[in-house]
Amino acid sequence: MLVLSTSAKSAVRQFGLILLLLGLVCAEDPYRFFDWNITYGDIYPLGVRQRGILVNGQFPGPDIYSVTNDNLIINVHNSLPEPFLISWNGVQNRKNSFQDGVYGTTCPIPPGKNFTYKLQVKDQIGSFYYFPSLGFHKAAGGFGSIRILSRPRIPVPFPEPAGDYTLLIGDWYKIDHQKLKFILEAGHRLPNPDGVLINGRGNGTSFTFEPGKTYRLRISNVGTHNSLNFRIQGHKITLVEVEGTHTIQTTYSSLDVHVGQSYSVLVTADQTPQDYYIAVSTRFTSQTLTSTAVLHYSNSARKVSGPIPGGPTTEIDWSFNQARSIRTNLTASGPRPNPQGSYHYGQINISRTIKLESSSAQVNGKQRYALNSVSFIPADTPLKLADYFKIEGVFKVGSIPDTPSGKQMYLDTSVLGADYRAFVEIVFQNRENIVQSYHLDGYNFWVVGMDGGQWTPESRKQYNLADAVSRCTTQVYPESWTAIYVALDNVGMWNLRTEFWARQYLGQQFYLRVYTPVQSTRDEYLIPQNALLCGKAAGKSTTSP
């Protein structure tokens, strides 16, 4: 038996500690650094000069490439003459709503200042985007794509594509974003958009394909109002991913992409070598706006020609049926090497039902929008900061009811309280004659059902409790309902909003406060030391005692 001296034992312990520390360093997830300058600049998306928001001189902004669990360090310099914020549509910011980049959680970056966001794309894959969240900046640009790739050795349920392209699509105004905001603040509705953009251009964007090869297209609707239909002349598209969830691989002739939504499709260059139209057009509108790009075969013998392929226009049933056909691929791995269907959401008891009903009305002679009769007004202090520093009088938990109250619309800083680890059902009831779109920051949820008419408890009999798609943005059709299940496993203050930006700006949103009395970094991170402080939080310390 080997006997070690005291000094030898000490050396062994020190060596073991060194190995442990080296292991921790080596095991830390990778960091990716970005340095962005936000400026105004001239852009010509619809052929006329406009003032746009540029990220490092680009419109749209640069793509963010990342891999599951990467740490993204994004230093944003605000060179605009007004405050600015960026939010990350679909990035869950686990335990860290301080980084969410909406006014309810984060102080704006003052003109001439900078702020460094520290995000981790923890246990996520998929296609998302970033956008400016203050005022009506979204109508001026400042948006770009986020792609989160799977870690090496975790299988993806389709062969590696020959290329991976981003398509940021959305409606667009020729009117300056400040004028749009003034129209809203004067109590009026916005006019209809003037056109549709594909990667910042009304027409002229092109993508080159090699004959016989298959490509991945990541499509995000970054617009302010309209649902859009996407299609490619002479080609089928195969859906493979929706906002971080691998889907059953269903082939479509065209795909509806509602405001705020993101999809990945595969397209094979299996037609006669020539150029083909990529068409994007508005849905459910009296006047259809269409924009085109070009799918160019590398050995193309002919320029794009013929009529632009037509798509659905106002047909609700067509879109309903397509939405119901989008389901989770239960055998595919997600961000972890295990089947996506290993979490059996349909076997968990619901702890609470929240029913949200939208409405449109005049309040004090001005146009407003609401959920459960409450039209949201921002507080003078970001709600997350007020909560963290226990500042009273900024908001009241429970200032929006769980169900429609039947009251006349009124203004309030609406915050809904919820318990950490609760499993809730949320029903979006739409009594209006428009398609709506809703997003929940910090989470993915299961879209378990949607149908026309009024939701009742009997409606649960038609829920999909086996392979409903998990996503962060869902549509609600006219005079219809959509039901979702959410596992509230992410502590923080999270924005639930319409993605129709005029409605969001005029009150159709609230904050979901997911709370635990156990104040532990296991459940929620401390406030970032570089956090900007404003309102009643100004002068507070971000250094923990």
Side-chain angles (χ1 to χ4, degrees):
M1 178 178 176
L2 178 64
V3 179
L4 298 176
S5 67
T6 301
S7 60
K9 289 179 181 178
S10 176
V12 168
R13 281 196 296 269
Q14 291 178 11
F15 182 66
L17 179 60
I18 291 171
L19 289 177
L20 175 61
L21 291 173
L22 286 173
L24 289 174
V25 170
C26 294
E28 188 173 16
D29 295 304
Y31 281 76
R32 296 177 188 264
F33 295 89
F34 305 83
D35 196 59
W36 288 354
N37 188 29
I38 309 299
T39 61
Y40 280 127
D42 289 341
I43 58 174
Y44 300 81
L46 294 178
V48 297
R49 186 173 69 178
Q50 293 181 250
R51 182 177 65 157
I53 294 178
L54 312 181
V55 183
N56 287 352
Q58 299 180 44
F59 170 76
D63 287 358
I64 292 178
Y65 294 86
S66 60
V67 177
T68 301
N69 292 352
D70 279 357
N71 295 281
L72 309 180
I73 310 302
I74 306 172
N75 188 15
V76 178
H77 303 264
N78 179 17
S79 297
L80 304 183
E82 68 262 15
F84 185 77
L85 271 179
I86 288 185
S87 190
W88 323 94
N89 213 71
V91 176
Q92 293 176 10
N93 289 306
R94 305 291 302 176
K95 306 193 295 184
N96 201 4
S97 61
F98 294 106
Q99 304 287 354
D100 200 33
V102 290
Y103 181 68
T105 62
T106 313
C107 292
I109 307 170
K113 302 296 183 180
N114 74 296
F115 176 73
T116 301
Y117 292 91
K118 299 176 182 178
L119 317 175
Q120 186 181 27
V121 288
K122 180 69 174 174
D123 288 336
Q124 285 193 264
I125 59 168
S127 309
F128 309 99
Y129 66 92
Y130 60 87
F131 71 98
S133 63
L134 281 187
F136 231 70
H137 280 155
K138 191 179 183 186
F143 46 73
S145 77
I146 302 171
R147 63 180 67 181
I148 308 173
L149 305 178
S150 296
R151 288 174 290 178
R153 300 182 184 177
I154 294 184
V156 175
F158 48 87
E160 181 75 17
D164 193 330
Y165 290 117
T166 290
L167 285 92
L168 299 176
I169 62 176
D171 51 24
W172 190 257
Y173 289 92
K174 294 178 182 177
I175 304 170
D176 187 84
H177 73 95
Q178 292 284 18
K179 292 182 179 179
L180 293 173
K181 189 173 72 167
F182 293 153
I183 291 171
L184 293 175
E185 290 174 348
H188 305 299
R189 296 174 185 264
L190 293 183
N192 292 325
D194 296 299
V196 173
L197 304 187
I198 303 173
N199 286 356
R201 303 177 67 177
N203 291 291
T205 303
S206 65
F207 304 89
T208 299
F209 284 19
E210 295 289 334
K213 294 186 178 180
T214 298
Y215 293 79
R216 182 174 185 169
L217 306 181
R218 298 174 186 262
I219 309 163
S220 294
N221 185 339
V222 297
T224 61
H225 182 78
N226 289 119
S227 299
L228 299 173
N229 182 264
F230 174 89
R231 54 201 179 273
I232 301 177
Q233 181 183 24
H235 293 71
K236 298 292 186 181
I237 55 178
T238 301
L239 183 65
V240 294
E241 178 252 330
V242 172
E243 294 160 15
T245 300
H246 291 304
T247 62
I248 297 293
Q249 294 179 18
T250 306
T251 299
Y252 301 106
S253 57
S254 68
L255 183 66
D256 276 353
V257 186
H258 303 277
V259 185
Q261 293 185 337
S262 297
Y263 292 89
S264 282
V265 300
L266 298 180
V267 180
T268 301
D270 55 4
Q271 301 300 307
T272 302
Q274 63 178 64
D275 291 357
Y276 294 88
Y277 281 115
I278 298 173
V280 177
S281 57
T282 56
R283 289 281 269 128
F284 320 117
T285 54
S286 56
Q287 178 186 5
T288 302
L289 301 173
T290 301
S291 180
T292 61
V294 172
L295 189 162
H296 170 71
Y297 278 58
S298 61
N299 62 341
S300 173
R302 195 171 76 181
K303 297 290 185 181
V304 66
S305 62
I308 297 172
T313 53
T314 60
E315 302 90 336
I316 295 292
D317 287 346
W318 186 95
S319 191
F320 244 127
N321 291 334
Q322 182 175 84
R324 292 187 180 114
S325 72
I326 298 173
R327 296 174 295 141
T328 295
N329 183 344
L330 298 180
T331 62
S333 293
R336 293 176 178 271
N338 56 281
Q340 293 184 139
S342 58
Y343 188 95
H344 300 295
Y345 69 92
Q347 298 176 17
I348 302 173
N349 292 329
I350 300 166
S351 58
R352 181 178 178 186
T353 296
I354 300 166
K355 186 177 178 183
L356 303 173
E357 186 170 291
S358 66
S359 57
S360 169
Q362 297 274 318
V363 178
N364 300 325
K366 293 186 176 182
Q367 180 63 46
R368 298 290 301 187
Y369 301 95
L371 290 167
N372 290 357
S373 299
V374 188
S375 186
F376 182 86
I377 51 173
D380 61 359
T381 305
L383 308 182
K384 183 59 190 172
L385 297 185
D387 204 23
Y388 183 85
F389 290 116
K390 297 180 172 56
I391 302 171
E392 296 184 356
V394 175
F395 69 91
K396 179 182 177 182
V397 176
S399 47
I400 178 173
D402 277 22
T403 56
S405 65
K407 294 181 180 179
Q408 286 190 335
M409 187 182 295
Y410 61 96
L411 308 180
D412 202 348
T413 304
S414 38
V415 175
L416 189 67
D419 293 331
Y420 180 45
R421 298 197 183 280
F423 191 79
V424 303
E425 172 188 47
I426 300 177
V427 178
F428 297 99
Q429 182 69 58
N430 181 10
R431 293 182 180 271
E432 301 178 75
N433 193 31
I434 60 169
V435 176
Q436 301 202 40
S437 185
Y438 289 96
H439 174 87
L440 176 58
D441 282 350
Y443 286 94
N444 264 28
F445 47 72
W446 292 272
V447 184
V448 293
M450 57 178 64
D451 204 355
Q454 181 78 11
W455 180 90
T456 69
E458 286 292 305
S459 303
R460 295 186 180 119
K461 293 180 180 178
Q462 60 178 280
Y463 282 5
N464 177 356
L465 300 181
D467 60 357
V469 69
S470 174
R471 63 187 314 168
C472 57
T473 309
T474 187
Q475 71 273 33
V476 190
Y477 291 101
E479 299 175 353
S480 301
W481 56 266
T482 294
I484 66 174
Y485 281 176
V486 192
L488 298 181
D489 60 354
N490 195 10
V491 174
M493 188 78 72
W494 303 106
N495 189 222
L496 191 156
R497 62 177 177 268
T498 176
E499 290 283 22
F500 286 18
W501 217 243
R503 283 180 166 246
Q504 178 272 349
Y505 187 75
L506 295 181
Q508 199 165 307
Q509 60 170 311
F510 66 87
Y511 282 82
L512 182 67
R513 179 184 185 250
V514 180
Y515 176 76
T516 174
V518 181
Q519 296 183 348
S520 167
T521 53
R522 179 195 62 189
D523 300 327
E524 184 177 25
Y525 296 139
L526 298 174
I527 187 171
Q529 290 194 8
N530 70 328
L532 299 173
L533 301 179
C534 55
K536 292 184 175 68
K540 300 287 186 180
S541 173
T542 60
T543 304
S544 57

